[in-house]
Amino acid sequence: MFVLIPAFEPGPALPGLVADLRRTDPDLDVLVVDDGSGPGFAEVFAAAREAGARVVTHEANRGKGAALKTGLADIAVHFPDADVVTADADGQHTPSDVLRVADALREDAGRGRSALVLGVRDFGGDVPLRSRVGNAVARSLFRVATGRRVTDTQTGLRGIPADRIPWALGIPGEGFEYEQRVLLRLAPDGVAVREVPIATVYLARNASSHFRPVRDSLRVLMPVLLFASSSLAAFVVDTIALFVLDLVTGWLVPSIIAARILSATVNFVVNRRVVFRARDQAVTGQAVRYGVLALALLASNIAWMSFLTENGLALLPAKVVTEGVLFVLSYGVQRALVFPRADAAPPARTVRVDTAPLVTADPDAMTTTPTTGRIR
């Protein structure tokens, strides 16, 4: 079992965390990836080595995702049967919580189960406002994007079973967005997830953290916001057209159909060009797939609208309820099937390594095999 700690300009808590982990559970090996922190932090990493960690170093800062992939690839090559617990370097994860996630992995292995283990915080008590708000925003956006509830989308304390390491290495991203992309791939790739409650710890109001909760969450979930904006624009077009046509003709169903054709055309163009940026793909295939989806949504729209209005709900509230129900379904289908992109496809099960330099900084490394490569 490995504990993998990516670290960029870490505070003084790192060596103590390593020492506590090694003392509490000698069966845990600790691998620290120095993500280009520079000479000013050499003493911290030297102390981590003295505490029992092996340290590998990026010559330049590449991002947390790249550091995690470097560590995972190193472990996969030299210890292919080892499970991995990833933890942050800023002292937010106590040794007891790290061991709790490690024990969950061991328990799953004993039962023949393979699941990503998430150490989740409850964000109660004295939690910095930016962290509380950031997690709430990220959690809400994640649920809108996937329809799946994850209590703590920003947790860096995760357990990855050995058989899921190639999967994790195939997910794109080199910065903080990588960890959220991992969560976004859970449902499409059929990866089970297990949550383990952990303490919520912030040292010096989380001053050592480089994570920007709202900005980094929005970065990976921006397509959801764009899709929502596109859907809102289509909703406005559809609603105005529906009211005008229904007012003029008095025929509800034909008015729904005509308004939907107009709004769907607007929505298709905006989604193709702006939301999913799929202009490099054949428009004919996209249009056919979108048309099939639009027909399915139209049938659902008619069924819901007819049912709601026949049971006494006014036209506008019925419209709002119907569109809200169909929103999440439409986004998921369009992202996965109508406008699929390379980074939305199931990840490859192989590891790509290029020749970007990586230095093994620990002269007493656990293995003499050189560690090289930047993992993408």
Side-chain angles (χ1 to χ4, degrees):
M1 179 80 68
F2 270 84
V3 176
L4 169 60
I5 304 175
F8 174 62
E9 299 181 353
L14 176 59
L17 173 61
V18 173
D20 288 343
L21 288 171
R22 295 288 293 155
R23 180 172 55 253
T24 305
D25 188 346
D27 291 334
L28 287 178
D29 292 310
V30 181
L31 174 63
V32 175
V33 179
D34 171 10
D35 188 28
S37 301
F41 295 84
E43 291 185 4
V44 176
F45 290 105
R49 287 196 297 273
E50 292 176 2
R54 184 162 66 96
V55 179
V56 296
T57 302
H58 288 169
E59 290 187 345
N61 177 248
R62 301 179 190 170
K64 186 178 183 182
L68 286 169
K69 290 180 182 180
T70 291
L72 289 173
D74 183 90
I75 294 168
V77 169
H78 301 132
F79 305 91
D81 296 326
D83 296 336
V84 178
V85 177
T86 66
D88 292 342
D90 54 11
Q92 289 191 35
H93 302 140
T94 66
S96 60
D97 284 335
V98 174
L99 293 177
R100 188 172 291 113
V101 172
D103 288 341
L105 284 173
R106 290 172 177 142
E107 180 181 325
D108 284 348
R111 296 179 176 179
R113 169 185 167 92
S114 176
L116 185 74
V117 180
L118 301 179
V120 299
R121 302 160 290 181
D122 62 8
F123 288 92
D126 186 23
V127 176
L129 180 61
R130 73 163 186 154
S131 298
R132 191 190 301 271
V133 172
N135 187 268
V137 170
R139 185 171 61 246
S140 299
L141 290 175
F142 181 85
R143 190 164 188 178
V144 169
T146 66
R148 192 168 185 173
R149 183 179 183 274
V150 171
T151 304
D152 186 356
T153 62
Q154 297 172 11
T155 179
L157 183 55
R158 303 179 178 189
I160 307 175
D163 65 333
R164 287 298 181 182
I165 290 178
W167 168 80
L169 286 169
I171 296 176
E174 294 199 343
F176 283 106
E177 80 279 359
Y178 168 74
E179 289 181 307
Q180 297 222 22
R181 288 185 183 273
V182 169
L183 298 183
L184 289 170
R185 291 306 315 172
L186 291 174
D189 294 341
V191 178
V193 64
R194 175 181 178 183
E195 294 190 347
V196 175
I198 62 173
T200 305
V201 179
Y202 289 97
L203 302 179
R205 309 301 293 174
N206 208 23
S208 65
S209 176
H210 300 278
F211 180 67
R212 301 158 297 184
V214 175
R215 180 175 176 180
D216 287 319
S217 297
L218 292 180
R219 180 180 177 184
V220 67
L221 295 174
M222 183 57 72
V224 180
L225 300 180
L226 292 175
F227 182 80
S229 299
S230 173
S231 297
L232 179 60
F235 170 78
V236 171
V237 171
D238 197 12
T239 302
I240 293 175
L242 173 60
F243 273 90
V244 170
L245 291 172
D246 185 57
L247 181 63
V248 172
T249 66
W251 299 333
L252 176 61
V253 172
S255 297
I256 291 175
I257 294 173
R260 180 50 56 94
I261 291 174
L262 177 61
S263 64
T265 301
V266 173
N267 187 245
F268 173 80
V269 173
V270 174
N271 287 355
R272 182 175 185 269
R273 292 178 172 273
V274 179
V275 179
F276 300 104
R277 298 182 181 180
R279 288 175 290 181
D280 57 337
Q281 301 175 17
V283 66
T284 302
Q286 293 173 339
V288 169
R289 294 191 296 270
Y290 184 89
V292 172
L293 173 62
L295 289 174
L297 294 176
L298 175 61
S300 298
N301 189 286
I302 293 173
W304 276 93
M305 290 280 288
S306 299
F307 173 80
L308 293 174
T309 55
E310 288 172 2
N311 283 272
L313 194 63
L315 185 59
L316 182 57
K319 180 70 174 174
V320 173
V321 171
T322 300
E323 295 298 338
V325 170
L326 298 178
F327 174 82
V328 173
L329 174 62
S330 178
Y331 175 79
V333 174
Q334 289 191 50
R335 179 172 60 86
L337 300 177
V338 179
F339 305 107
R341 298 180 61 191
D343 61 0
R349 301 301 182 186
T350 58
V351 180
R352 289 180 49 198
V353 182
D354 66 31
T355 56
L358 174 67
V359 178
T360 300
D362 183 6
D364 299 319
M366 290 182 290
T367 176
T368 58
T369 305
T371 303
T372 60
R374 181 179 181 180
I375 309 303
R376 289 182 174 176

